[in-house]
Amino acid sequence: MELTYRPRRLRATPALRALVREHQLSATDFIYPLFVHEGASNEPIGAMPGAQRWSLEGLVDEVGRAWDLGIRCVVLFPKVADGLKSEDGAECCNDHGLIPRAIRRLKQVHPAMAIMTDVALDPYSCDGHDGIVDEHGVVLNDETVAMLCRQAVAQARAGADLIGPSDMMDGRVGAIREALDEEGFENVGIISYTAKYASAYYGPFREALDSAPRPAGGKPIPKDKATYQMDPANGREAITEALLDEQEGADILMVKPGLAYLDILHRLRSETELPIAAYNVSGEYAMVKAAAERGWIDERAITLETLLCFKRAGADLILTYHACDAAQWLRQG
Ligand code: PBG
């Protein structure tokens, strides 16, 4: 054949492929999500093999391991005792609550590790919703935002570096920015869950925290989060959310879930100059673990491919439960 272009020329050897490779993965791309509980020992999570509900001291050790593997940011999620849950989730702003204590402890032992937090009421709400539910079953926006601002300030006071509102209430990024600034935390950043979809991929996470929406007392409780999280059918709406978050002062935008939403990541990349994060969520992790346990897929190869594809699609950062494994695999080359 007389071909002018033979794209295979640049695929011929590992050296040539490395030379023209467009994207690379590195441990510093990862944010490692960790669950913490009040217990004295670590507890495995059924649907997330390898993940644990860490005790405070278990958490300290795991963060040390992550640091040694090159990871520079973790995000913390609390498994709150039932007795501390309430309709308004007020435990979320307790300065001596689980998360503020965990942050303070981590900053004592690993002061250079960046700590991100999650801002939402679901782990603290007896209804399992990210916001306050009124007697008609409506998730209240503005009342919830006031509580989230107090939660964010408590986290910043404990030493958090990045505040991550995951609740999808309207106007919360701007309100949290203002609340942080008023308290003198103008250098604490906001990584906003900008395009967070009402997704079935969060199932294992809700098991880990025992935080799924559930009926409590006499009032009607919505069984899903569709009145605040986005409809998986919608793409353009993600751009509206991104532009609002940017105007309101977000420092980093996030797309969640990751894998089925790579088009959203790609679209946001062309709409903003801010860093973008992808959340490789619990259901995505559980699917890989389940298939790997059966020997149906190669966990290492599939995980590194998936994480790299997030970067190709436009992510600068990736939240992944595979962070330590991936960092280790990258090291082995
Ligand atoms: C809480 C929150 C959720 C996740 C992160 N923060 C669950 C939800 O919105 O129901 C999901 C993370 C995952 O599935 O890995 N607002």
Side-chain angles (χ1 to χ4, degrees), residues 200-214:
Y201 283 99
Y202 309 149
F205 175 99
R206 292 179 190 171
E207 179 201 314
L209 296 189
D210 189 21
S211 63
R214 81 211 86 184

Side-chain angles (χ1 to χ4, degrees), residues 118 122 130 166 196 202 205-206 225 229 256 282 321:
D118 194 78
D122 50 331
D130 294 23
S166 73
K196 177 172 179 181
Y202 309 149
F205 175 99
R206 292 179 190 171
K225 301 188 176 183
Q229 298 180 348
K256 178 183 175 196
S282 58
Y321 301 98

Side-chain angles (χ1 to χ4, degrees), residues 129 143 147 174 183 312:
H129 275 285
E143 292 79 352
M147 187 66 85
E183 297 290 326
R312 192 203 61 235

Side-chain angles (χ1 to χ4, degrees), residues 5-22:
Y5 293 108
R6 289 182 179 269
R8 289 185 58 191
R9 282 179 199 129
L10 295 181
R11 296 178 204 141
T13 68
L16 287 170
R17 291 195 294 274
L19 207 57
V20 297
R21 189 163 293 135
E22 296 176 38

Side-chain angles (χ1 to χ4, degrees), residues 82-146:
D82 277 344
L84 295 175
K85 296 189 183 189
S86 62
E87 291 194 28
D88 67 0
E91 173 65 13
C92 75
C93 36
N94 177 358
D95 281 314
H96 308 288
L98 184 55
I99 288 294
R101 272 185 287 128
I103 297 170
R104 287 196 178 92
R105 182 83 185 107
L106 287 177
K107 284 291 179 185
Q108 272 173 351
V109 186
H110 307 294
M113 180 67 96
I115 298 183
M116 170 183 165
T117 56
D118 194 78
V119 168
L121 301 185
D122 50 331
Y124 305 94
S125 154
C126 51
D127 305 326
H129 275 285
D130 294 23
I132 300 168
V133 187
D134 78 3
E135 69 273 24
H136 308 295
V138 174
V139 177
L140 300 171
N141 193 87
D142 300 13
E143 292 79 352
T144 298
V145 170

